[in-house]
Amino acid sequence: MTITQASVIQEYKTRTHNTDESPGYFTTDELQKLANLWSLIIDYLAANKDKQITVNSELLERVKNTWPDLRQDGTIDMQDNEQVTRRAWKFTKGESTVRKLGLLNRKPVDHERQLLERHVCETTQEYVDRVSGHHVPLLPTSYFPSFKYPDNATRNWRDVFWAIASAKQHPDIWVHRYLRANGWDTNKAFVCIQSVIEWRAAQALDQINWEGDICLGFDEQRLGILQLVGHDKLGFPLTYFRVRRIMPRANQSFVFKRYLIHQFETIQHITRSHSRITMLCDFTGFSMDNTPFNIVHFLVTLGTKHYAESTSVLILLVDSWLFANFWSLVRPFLDASLSARIVFAKTMNDVLVFIDESQVPEELGGLNKIDMMKVPEVNENCKLFDEKRRQMAEIEWREKVEKFEEATRIWCTRFNGDKSDTYSDVRDNAAHELDRAECHLGQFTRARTQYARLNM
Protein backbone atom coordinates (compact mmCIF):
# COMPACT_ATOMS: atom_id res chain seq x y z
CA MET A 1 0.00 0.00 0.00
CA THR A 2 1.31 3.43 -0.96
CA ILE A 3 1.23 5.99 1.87
CA THR A 4 0.45 9.59 0.90
CA GLN A 5 0.20 12.73 2.97
CA ALA A 6 -3.53 12.90 2.16
CA SER A 7 -4.11 9.36 3.43
CA VAL A 8 -2.22 10.10 6.65
CA ILE A 9 -4.28 13.25 7.28
CA GLN A 10 -7.50 11.33 6.59
CA GLU A 11 -6.58 8.75 9.24
CA TYR A 12 -6.38 11.49 11.86
CA LYS A 13 -9.50 13.33 10.73
CA THR A 14 -11.51 10.11 11.05
CA ARG A 15 -9.51 8.80 14.04
CA THR A 16 -9.19 5.52 12.16
CA HIS A 17 -5.74 3.98 12.09
CA ASN A 18 -4.90 2.18 8.85
CA THR A 19 -3.71 -1.23 9.99
CA ASP A 20 -2.42 -2.34 6.59
CA GLU A 21 1.11 -3.81 6.74
CA SER A 22 0.93 -3.89 10.55
CA PRO A 23 1.53 -6.86 12.89
CA GLY A 24 -1.68 -8.79 13.39
CA TYR A 25 -3.07 -7.55 10.07
CA PHE A 26 -0.60 -8.97 7.57
CA THR A 27 -1.87 -10.43 4.31
CA THR A 28 -0.83 -13.96 3.41
CA ASP A 29 1.80 -12.58 1.02
CA GLU A 30 3.18 -10.25 3.70
CA LEU A 31 3.32 -13.10 6.21
CA GLN A 32 5.24 -15.17 3.68
CA LYS A 33 7.78 -12.39 3.22
CA LEU A 34 8.07 -12.01 6.99
CA ALA A 35 8.71 -15.75 7.27
CA ASN A 36 11.34 -15.50 4.53
CA LEU A 37 13.09 -12.67 6.36
CA TRP A 38 13.06 -14.59 9.62
CA SER A 39 14.57 -17.60 7.79
CA LEU A 40 17.49 -15.44 6.70
CA ILE A 41 17.91 -14.11 10.23
CA ILE A 42 17.72 -17.54 11.91
CA ASP A 43 20.22 -19.03 9.45
CA TYR A 44 22.60 -16.10 9.98
CA LEU A 45 22.32 -16.42 13.75
CA ALA A 46 23.11 -20.14 13.57
CA ALA A 47 26.14 -19.59 11.34
CA ASN A 48 27.46 -16.61 13.34
CA LYS A 49 26.45 -17.39 16.92
CA ASP A 50 29.88 -16.35 18.23
CA LYS A 51 30.40 -13.37 15.94
CA GLN A 52 31.88 -10.46 17.87
CA ILE A 53 31.80 -6.81 16.76
CA THR A 54 34.43 -4.36 17.98
CA VAL A 55 33.07 -1.43 19.96
CA ASN A 56 34.16 1.82 18.36
CA SER A 57 31.83 4.26 20.04
CA GLU A 58 32.98 7.81 19.60
CA LEU A 59 30.04 8.82 21.78
CA LEU A 60 31.30 6.97 24.85
CA GLU A 61 34.95 7.82 24.43
CA ARG A 62 34.51 11.48 23.59
CA VAL A 63 31.98 12.11 26.33
CA LYS A 64 34.41 10.54 28.78
CA ASN A 65 37.59 12.17 27.52
CA THR A 66 36.46 15.49 26.08
CA TRP A 67 33.57 16.52 28.30
CA PRO A 68 35.76 18.53 30.74
CA ASP A 69 37.04 20.59 27.82
CA LEU A 70 33.53 21.89 27.19
CA ARG A 71 33.06 23.49 30.58
CA GLN A 72 32.56 27.21 31.14
CA ASP A 73 35.57 29.51 31.22
CA GLY A 74 35.03 30.42 34.87
CA THR A 75 33.52 33.84 34.24
CA ILE A 76 29.99 32.70 35.11
CA ASP A 77 28.97 32.31 38.74
CA MET A 78 27.61 28.77 39.19
CA GLN A 79 25.58 29.86 42.21
CA ASP A 80 23.76 32.46 40.15
CA ASN A 81 23.04 29.96 37.43
CA GLU A 82 21.19 27.77 39.91
CA GLN A 83 18.38 30.31 39.64
CA VAL A 84 17.67 28.65 36.33
CA THR A 85 14.71 26.58 37.40
CA ARG A 86 11.01 26.02 36.94
CA ARG A 87 8.21 25.76 39.46
CA ALA A 88 7.38 22.34 38.02
CA TRP A 89 10.77 20.91 38.85
CA LYS A 90 10.73 18.32 41.62
CA PHE A 91 13.81 17.66 43.74
CA THR A 92 13.79 14.36 45.58
CA LYS A 93 16.74 13.20 47.71
CA GLY A 94 18.67 16.37 46.96
CA GLU A 95 15.80 18.65 47.96
CA SER A 96 17.00 19.39 51.48
CA THR A 97 20.45 20.31 50.17
CA VAL A 98 18.94 22.54 47.51
CA ARG A 99 16.77 24.29 50.07
CA LYS A 100 19.81 24.92 52.25
CA LEU A 101 21.35 26.75 49.33
CA GLY A 102 18.21 28.84 49.10
CA LEU A 103 17.62 27.75 45.52
CA LEU A 104 13.95 26.78 45.68
CA ASN A 105 13.03 30.14 47.21
CA ARG A 106 14.45 32.20 44.42
CA LYS A 107 12.18 33.70 41.84
CA PRO A 108 12.42 31.80 38.52
CA VAL A 109 14.14 33.76 35.77
CA ASP A 110 14.41 33.36 32.03
CA HIS A 111 15.67 29.78 32.32
CA GLU A 112 15.74 29.11 28.61
CA ARG A 113 17.90 32.12 27.76
CA GLN A 114 20.34 31.53 30.62
CA LEU A 115 20.78 27.85 29.89
CA LEU A 116 21.35 28.53 26.23
CA GLU A 117 23.98 31.12 27.00
CA ARG A 118 25.94 29.59 29.83
CA HIS A 119 27.63 26.73 27.91
CA VAL A 120 28.18 24.51 30.94
CA CYS A 121 28.59 20.81 30.22
CA GLU A 122 27.73 19.02 33.43
CA THR A 123 26.36 15.50 33.60
CA THR A 124 23.47 14.57 35.86
CA GLN A 125 25.92 12.64 38.04
CA GLU A 126 28.15 15.71 38.37
CA TYR A 127 25.17 17.90 39.18
CA VAL A 128 23.94 15.58 41.95
CA ASP A 129 27.47 15.31 43.39
CA ARG A 130 27.91 19.08 43.38
CA VAL A 131 24.56 19.86 44.98
CA SER A 132 25.01 17.10 47.57
CA GLY A 133 28.54 18.16 48.42
CA HIS A 134 29.90 14.62 47.97
CA HIS A 135 29.88 11.78 45.48
CA VAL A 136 26.51 10.02 45.27
CA PRO A 137 26.84 6.66 43.44
CA LEU A 138 23.87 6.63 41.07
CA LEU A 139 25.41 3.81 38.99
CA PRO A 140 27.84 0.95 39.65
CA THR A 141 31.47 1.86 39.00
CA SER A 142 31.82 -0.27 35.87
CA TYR A 143 29.71 -1.88 33.17
CA PHE A 144 29.93 -5.30 31.53
CA PRO A 145 27.73 -6.35 28.57
CA SER A 146 26.66 -9.77 29.87
CA PHE A 147 27.80 -12.72 31.94
CA LYS A 148 28.30 -14.78 28.79
CA TYR A 149 30.21 -12.05 26.94
CA PRO A 150 31.65 -9.70 29.61
CA ASP A 151 34.32 -8.15 27.35
CA ASN A 152 33.60 -4.43 27.05
CA ALA A 153 35.72 -4.15 23.90
CA THR A 154 33.33 -6.25 21.79
CA ARG A 155 29.64 -7.12 21.45
CA ASN A 156 28.12 -10.42 20.36
CA TRP A 157 26.02 -10.03 17.19
CA ARG A 158 23.37 -12.48 18.35
CA ASP A 159 22.99 -10.81 21.74
CA VAL A 160 22.65 -7.36 20.18
CA PHE A 161 20.00 -8.58 17.75
CA TRP A 162 17.84 -10.24 20.39
CA ALA A 163 18.27 -7.34 22.81
CA ILE A 164 16.56 -4.93 20.41
CA ALA A 165 14.14 -7.42 18.84
CA SER A 166 12.85 -8.41 22.29
CA ALA A 167 12.48 -4.76 23.32
CA LYS A 168 9.03 -4.92 21.69
CA GLN A 169 6.13 -7.05 22.89
CA HIS A 170 6.65 -9.25 19.83
CA PRO A 171 9.91 -9.37 17.84
CA ASP A 172 7.84 -9.09 14.64
CA ILE A 173 7.08 -5.45 15.58
CA TRP A 174 10.76 -4.56 15.25
CA VAL A 175 11.72 -6.86 12.37
CA HIS A 176 8.83 -6.02 10.05
CA ARG A 177 9.74 -2.32 10.10
CA TYR A 178 12.65 -3.04 7.80
CA LEU A 179 10.41 -4.89 5.38
CA ARG A 180 8.16 -1.84 5.14
CA ALA A 181 11.15 0.48 4.86
CA ASN A 182 12.50 -1.55 1.94
CA GLY A 183 9.29 -2.08 0.00
CA TRP A 184 8.86 -5.62 1.37
CA ASP A 185 12.05 -6.73 -0.35
CA THR A 186 13.31 -9.52 1.92
CA ASN A 187 16.96 -9.36 0.92
CA LYS A 188 17.19 -5.58 1.24
CA ALA A 189 15.49 -5.73 4.62
CA PHE A 190 17.98 -8.34 5.85
CA VAL A 191 20.96 -6.25 4.72
CA CYS A 192 19.46 -3.24 6.49
CA ILE A 193 18.98 -5.21 9.73
CA GLN A 194 22.60 -6.41 9.54
CA SER A 195 23.77 -2.81 9.22
CA VAL A 196 21.61 -1.63 12.12
CA ILE A 197 22.82 -4.40 14.43
CA GLU A 198 26.46 -3.69 13.61
CA TRP A 199 25.87 0.02 14.26
CA ARG A 200 24.18 -0.71 17.61
CA ALA A 201 27.05 -3.00 18.61
CA ALA A 202 29.79 -0.59 17.57
CA GLN A 203 28.11 2.31 19.39
CA ALA A 204 27.58 0.19 22.55
CA LEU A 205 23.95 1.21 22.86
CA ASP A 206 23.52 -1.35 25.63
CA GLN A 207 25.89 0.73 27.77
CA ILE A 208 24.10 3.96 26.87
CA ASN A 209 20.84 2.35 28.03
CA TRP A 210 22.54 1.09 31.20
CA GLU A 211 23.87 4.57 32.04
CA GLY A 212 20.56 6.22 31.16
CA ASP A 213 20.39 9.96 31.69
CA ILE A 214 22.91 9.84 34.56
CA CYS A 215 25.76 10.43 32.11
CA LEU A 216 23.92 12.88 29.85
CA GLY A 217 24.26 16.65 29.94
CA PHE A 218 22.08 17.99 32.74
CA ASP A 219 21.22 21.18 30.84
CA GLU A 220 19.87 19.23 27.86
CA GLN A 221 17.44 17.56 30.23
CA ARG A 222 16.52 20.80 32.00
CA LEU A 223 15.56 22.29 28.67
CA GLY A 224 13.48 19.26 27.68
CA ILE A 225 14.75 19.44 24.10
CA LEU A 226 13.09 16.15 23.10
CA GLN A 227 10.40 14.85 25.40
CA LEU A 228 7.58 12.30 25.52
CA VAL A 229 4.50 14.33 26.48
CA GLY A 230 1.35 12.29 25.76
CA HIS A 231 -0.41 10.72 22.79
CA ASP A 232 -1.95 11.76 19.47
CA LYS A 233 -5.50 11.22 18.21
CA LEU A 234 -4.74 7.67 17.09
CA GLY A 235 -3.28 6.75 20.45
CA PHE A 236 0.35 6.76 19.33
CA PRO A 237 2.89 8.20 21.80
CA LEU A 238 3.55 11.90 21.23
CA THR A 239 7.01 13.44 21.50
CA TYR A 240 7.69 17.17 21.54
CA PHE A 241 10.95 18.45 20.02
CA ARG A 242 11.85 22.02 21.01
CA VAL A 243 14.33 22.75 18.23
CA ARG A 244 15.12 26.29 19.39
CA ARG A 245 16.54 24.85 22.61
CA ILE A 246 19.39 23.02 20.92
CA MET A 247 22.32 24.71 22.60
CA PRO A 248 25.16 26.31 20.65
CA ARG A 249 27.57 23.81 22.20
CA ALA A 250 25.71 21.15 20.21
CA ASN A 251 28.30 22.00 17.56
CA GLN A 252 30.35 19.64 19.70
CA SER A 253 28.11 17.08 18.09
CA PHE A 254 28.95 14.05 20.23
CA VAL A 255 27.15 15.63 23.21
CA PHE A 256 23.85 16.08 21.42
CA LYS A 257 24.14 12.86 19.40
CA ARG A 258 24.34 10.86 22.59
CA TYR A 259 21.36 12.76 23.96
CA LEU A 260 19.32 12.01 20.83
CA ILE A 261 20.22 8.31 20.85
CA HIS A 262 19.28 8.01 24.50
CA GLN A 263 15.90 9.62 23.82
CA PHE A 264 15.19 7.35 20.87
CA GLU A 265 16.21 4.28 22.87
CA THR A 266 14.11 5.27 25.87
CA ILE A 267 11.03 5.85 23.74
CA GLN A 268 11.58 2.47 22.03
CA HIS A 269 11.41 0.70 25.37
CA ILE A 270 8.49 2.72 26.72
CA THR A 271 6.40 2.09 23.60
CA ARG A 272 6.83 -1.70 23.62
CA SER A 273 3.41 -2.38 22.12
CA HIS A 274 3.53 0.39 19.53
CA SER A 275 5.19 0.33 16.15
CA ARG A 276 5.00 4.10 15.64
CA ILE A 277 5.24 7.44 17.44
CA THR A 278 4.20 10.98 16.49
CA MET A 279 6.68 13.83 16.74
CA LEU A 280 5.76 17.50 17.07
CA CYS A 281 8.80 19.54 16.03
CA ASP A 282 8.62 23.14 17.22
CA PHE A 283 10.65 25.29 14.82
CA THR A 284 9.25 28.59 16.14
CA GLY A 285 12.07 31.04 16.66
CA PHE A 286 14.10 29.02 14.16
CA SER A 287 17.67 29.98 13.35
CA MET A 288 20.58 28.11 11.80
CA ASP A 289 22.47 28.56 15.09
CA ASN A 290 20.09 26.11 16.74
CA THR A 291 20.21 23.56 13.95
CA PRO A 292 23.76 22.70 12.85
CA PHE A 293 23.44 20.63 9.69
CA ASN A 294 25.54 17.71 10.98
CA ILE A 295 23.05 17.24 13.83
CA VAL A 296 20.07 17.45 11.49
CA HIS A 297 21.65 14.93 9.12
CA PHE A 298 22.29 12.59 12.06
CA LEU A 299 18.67 12.94 13.19
CA VAL A 300 17.41 12.11 9.70
CA THR A 301 19.68 9.03 9.62
CA LEU A 302 18.24 7.87 12.93
CA GLY A 303 14.68 8.28 11.65
CA THR A 304 15.15 6.70 8.22
CA LYS A 305 17.63 3.92 8.98
CA HIS A 306 18.44 3.03 12.57
CA TYR A 307 14.84 3.49 13.76
CA ALA A 308 13.15 3.01 10.40
CA GLU A 309 9.38 3.16 9.96
CA SER A 310 8.75 4.31 13.51
CA THR A 311 6.93 7.57 12.70
CA SER A 312 3.17 7.95 12.40
CA VAL A 313 3.27 11.65 11.56
CA LEU A 314 5.98 14.32 11.82
CA ILE A 315 4.44 17.74 12.46
CA LEU A 316 6.70 20.69 11.71
CA LEU A 317 5.51 23.85 13.48
CA VAL A 318 7.11 26.71 11.52
CA ASP A 319 6.89 30.51 11.81
CA SER A 320 10.03 31.65 9.97
CA TRP A 321 10.73 32.18 6.28
CA LEU A 322 14.33 31.14 6.99
CA PHE A 323 13.09 27.59 7.39
CA ALA A 324 12.48 27.28 3.62
CA ASN A 325 16.21 27.44 2.87
CA PHE A 326 16.96 24.97 5.65
CA TRP A 327 14.28 22.57 4.42
CA SER A 328 15.72 22.59 0.89
CA LEU A 329 18.93 21.14 2.36
CA VAL A 330 17.21 18.47 4.43
CA ARG A 331 14.54 17.21 2.04
CA PRO A 332 16.84 15.26 -0.33
CA PHE A 333 17.87 12.98 2.54
CA LEU A 334 14.31 11.84 3.34
CA ASP A 335 12.88 8.63 1.95
CA ALA A 336 9.44 8.50 0.31
CA SER A 337 7.74 6.87 3.29
CA LEU A 338 8.91 9.47 5.81
CA SER A 339 8.26 12.35 3.40
CA ALA A 340 4.61 11.29 3.11
CA ARG A 341 4.25 11.48 6.89
CA ILE A 342 5.57 15.04 7.20
CA VAL A 343 3.06 17.88 7.54
CA PHE A 344 3.59 21.59 8.15
CA ALA A 345 1.66 23.56 10.74
CA LYS A 346 1.46 27.32 11.13
CA THR A 347 -1.49 27.63 13.51
CA MET A 348 -2.97 25.75 16.45
CA ASN A 349 -5.79 24.54 14.21
CA ASP A 350 -3.23 22.80 12.00
CA VAL A 351 -1.83 20.98 15.04
CA LEU A 352 -5.29 20.03 16.34
CA VAL A 353 -5.89 17.90 13.26
CA PHE A 354 -3.50 15.37 14.77
CA ILE A 355 -3.43 16.10 18.50
CA ASP A 356 -6.24 16.83 20.94
CA GLU A 357 -5.95 20.13 22.81
CA SER A 358 -5.56 18.25 26.10
CA GLN A 359 -2.32 16.74 24.77
CA VAL A 360 -0.84 19.87 23.16
CA PRO A 361 1.87 21.40 25.41
CA GLU A 362 0.70 24.42 27.38
CA GLU A 363 3.52 26.58 25.97
CA LEU A 364 1.94 26.15 22.52
CA GLY A 365 -1.51 27.14 23.74
CA GLY A 366 -2.71 23.66 24.68
CA LEU A 367 -3.80 22.25 28.03
CA ASN A 368 -0.95 19.80 28.64
CA LYS A 369 1.08 20.92 31.66
CA ILE A 370 4.38 19.13 31.24
CA ASP A 371 6.66 18.30 34.14
CA MET A 372 10.13 19.04 32.85
CA MET A 373 12.20 16.69 34.97
CA LYS A 374 13.02 15.13 38.33
CA VAL A 375 16.51 14.78 39.72
CA PRO A 376 17.44 11.09 40.20
CA GLU A 377 16.93 9.57 43.62
CA VAL A 378 19.91 8.07 45.41
CA ASN A 379 18.77 4.43 45.35
CA GLU A 380 16.60 4.40 42.25
CA ASN A 381 19.05 2.19 40.33
CA CYS A 382 19.72 -0.25 43.16
CA LYS A 383 18.89 -3.22 40.90
CA LEU A 384 21.80 -2.32 38.64
CA PHE A 385 24.09 -3.15 41.57
CA ASP A 386 22.53 -6.63 42.06
CA GLU A 387 24.71 -8.87 39.89
CA LYS A 388 23.31 -12.13 41.28
CA ARG A 389 19.72 -11.36 40.30
CA ARG A 390 20.88 -9.91 37.00
CA GLN A 391 22.64 -13.18 36.20
CA MET A 392 19.49 -15.17 36.98
CA ALA A 393 17.41 -12.83 34.81
CA GLU A 394 19.90 -13.13 31.96
CA ILE A 395 19.80 -16.94 32.10
CA GLU A 396 16.00 -16.85 31.91
CA TRP A 397 16.09 -14.37 29.01
CA ARG A 398 18.51 -16.57 27.03
CA GLU A 399 16.25 -19.57 27.58
CA LYS A 400 13.25 -17.65 26.25
CA VAL A 401 15.30 -16.38 23.28
CA GLU A 402 16.20 -19.94 22.34
CA LYS A 403 12.58 -21.03 22.73
CA PHE A 404 11.31 -18.24 20.46
CA GLU A 405 14.12 -18.80 17.98
CA GLU A 406 13.26 -22.50 17.70
CA ALA A 407 9.52 -21.76 17.41
CA THR A 408 10.29 -19.26 14.66
CA ARG A 409 12.51 -21.73 12.81
CA ILE A 410 9.69 -24.31 12.79
CA TRP A 411 7.10 -21.68 11.82
CA CYS A 412 9.25 -20.56 8.87
CA THR A 413 9.80 -24.07 7.53
CA ARG A 414 6.14 -25.10 7.87
CA PHE A 415 4.41 -21.84 7.02
CA ASN A 416 1.45 -22.52 4.72
CA GLY A 417 -0.30 -19.16 4.66
CA ASP A 418 -2.64 -19.94 7.54
CA LYS A 419 -2.62 -17.02 9.99
CA SER A 420 -3.96 -19.08 12.88
CA ASP A 421 -2.18 -22.42 12.61
CA THR A 422 -0.70 -24.27 15.58
CA TYR A 423 2.85 -23.18 14.78
CA SER A 424 1.84 -19.51 14.85
CA ASP A 425 0.15 -19.95 18.22
CA VAL A 426 3.21 -21.67 19.70
CA ARG A 427 5.42 -18.91 18.36
CA ASP A 428 3.19 -16.14 19.71
CA ASN A 429 3.17 -17.78 23.14
CA ALA A 430 6.99 -17.94 23.01
CA ALA A 431 7.06 -14.24 22.10
CA HIS A 432 4.91 -13.46 25.14
CA GLU A 433 7.29 -15.35 27.42
CA LEU A 434 10.26 -13.57 25.85
CA ASP A 435 8.59 -10.20 26.40
CA ARG A 436 8.15 -10.91 30.10
CA ALA A 437 11.74 -12.14 30.43
CA GLU A 438 13.13 -9.03 28.69
CA CYS A 439 11.08 -6.70 30.91
CA HIS A 440 12.47 -8.49 33.96
CA LEU A 441 16.06 -8.38 32.69
CA GLY A 442 15.70 -4.70 31.81
CA GLN A 443 15.36 -3.84 35.50
CA PHE A 444 19.01 -4.89 35.91
CA THR A 445 20.40 -3.56 32.62
CA ARG A 446 18.69 -0.19 32.08
CA ALA A 447 18.85 2.83 34.38
CA ARG A 448 15.61 4.54 35.30
CA THR A 449 14.73 7.51 33.13
CA GLN A 450 12.91 10.79 33.49
CA TYR A 451 9.72 9.14 32.25
CA ALA A 452 9.86 6.51 34.99
CA ARG A 453 10.38 9.25 37.59
CA LEU A 454 7.38 11.12 36.16
CA ASN A 455 5.30 7.89 36.09
CA MET A 456 4.81 8.03 32.32
Side-chain angles (χ1 to χ4, degrees), residues 95-200:
E95 185 171 0
S96 60
T97 304
V98 177
R99 282 205 175 104
K100 288 178 182 177
L101 295 175
L103 305 181
L104 293 184
N105 298 322
R106 295 184 178 184
K107 183 178 179 180
V109 295
D110 184 355
H111 70 283
E112 185 174 315
R113 179 182 57 79
Q114 286 201 8
L115 283 174
L116 287 171
E117 290 178 354
R118 75 178 192 158
H119 296 264
V120 176
C121 218
E122 178 180 48
T123 66
T124 301
Q125 178 68 72
E126 291 170 331
Y127 171 82
V128 171
D129 289 349
R130 177 169 57 79
V131 171
S132 301
H134 60 87
H135 176 60
V136 179
L138 299 176
L139 292 171
T141 55
S142 61
Y143 172 74
F144 62 96
S146 71
F147 288 92
K148 188 173 182 179
Y149 302 102
D151 180 12
N152 246 317
T154 63
R155 294 294 186 273
N156 176 260
W157 202 98
R158 185 173 187 273
D159 274 9
V160 175
F161 171 79
W162 284 117
I164 183 58
S166 64
K168 294 297 182 181
Q169 282 188 350
H170 197 301
D172 284 353
I173 295 177
W174 187 80
V175 169
H176 96 283
R177 287 178 174 177
Y178 297 93
L179 278 171
R180 287 194 319 213
N182 290 278
W184 291 84
D185 185 310
T186 302
N187 292 323
K188 288 182 179 179
F190 178 62
V191 170
C192 190
I193 287 174
Q194 285 181 299
S195 175
V196 170
I197 296 303
E198 289 173 7
W199 172 77
R200 294 183 66 85

Side-chain angles (χ1 to χ4, degrees), residues 13 35 70 72 149 151 173 205 207 263 319 373 380 421:
K13 284 185 175 180
L70 298 181
Q72 59 187 19
Y149 302 102
D151 180 12
I173 295 177
L205 295 200
Q207 184 171 344
Q263 291 295 326
D319 70 346
M373 69 175 298
E380 69 174 28
D421 60 17

Side-chain angles (χ1 to χ4, degrees), residues 343-369:
V343 296
F344 290 87
K346 293 184 178 180
T347 67
M348 176 61 71
N349 287 336
D350 296 334
V351 174
L352 292 177
V353 172
F354 308 95
I355 309 168
D356 287 323
E357 187 177 13
S358 63
Q359 300 297 307
V360 176
E362 192 176 41
E363 63 195 76
L364 293 180
L367 303 176
N368 189 355
K369 297 181 179 180

Side-chain angles (χ1 to χ4, degrees), residues 269-415:
H269 286 99
I270 290 176
T271 59
R272 299 182 67 88
S273 62
H274 296 280
S275 59
R276 295 187 181 277
I277 62 171
T278 285
M279 185 176 289
L280 174 58
C281 296
D282 184 1
F283 281 93
T284 57
F286 169 84
S287 75
M288 291 301 291
D289 290 337
N290 295 112
T291 49
F293 187 73
N294 62 329
I295 292 296
V296 174
H297 184 266
F298 180 73
L299 183 59
V300 170
T301 302
L302 291 180
T304 58
K305 182 179 180 181
H306 302 315
Y307 302 90
E309 284 290 313
S310 59
T311 303
S312 177
V313 63
L314 188 61
I315 307 166
L316 307 184
L317 187 59
V318 179
D319 70 346
S320 170
W321 63 270
L322 292 173
F323 184 81
N325 293 331
F326 169 77
W327 185 243
S328 66
L329 297 175
V330 175
R331 192 169 185 175
F333 295 98
L334 305 176
D335 59 33
S337 177
L338 183 59
S339 295
R341 296 183 177 277
I342 295 175
V343 296
F344 290 87
K346 293 184 178 180
T347 67
M348 176 61 71
N349 287 336
D350 296 334
V351 174
L352 292 177
V353 172
F354 308 95
I355 309 168
D356 287 323
E357 187 177 13
S358 63
Q359 300 297 307
V360 176
E362 192 176 41
E363 63 195 76
L364 293 180
L367 303 176
N368 189 355
K369 297 181 179 180
I370 304 169
D371 284 331
M372 292 299 292
M373 69 175 298
K374 283 187 178 181
V375 175
E377 297 184 19
V378 174
N379 296 315
E380 69 174 28
N381 290 318
C382 59
K383 290 185 178 180
L384 270 61
F385 293 80
D386 193 338
E387 291 190 11
K388 183 177 180 180
R389 293 179 65 193
R390 173 183 168 179
Q391 185 173 25
M392 294 172 61
E394 183 181 320
I395 291 173
E396 180 187 17
W397 175 76
R398 291 187 184 281
E399 290 174 351
K400 300 308 180 184
V401 164
E402 291 175 1
K403 184 175 181 179
F404 179 80
E405 192 171 332
E406 177 61 15
T408 299
R409 185 189 64 78
I410 295 174
W411 174 72
C412 290
T413 56
R414 302 185 182 182
F415 179 76

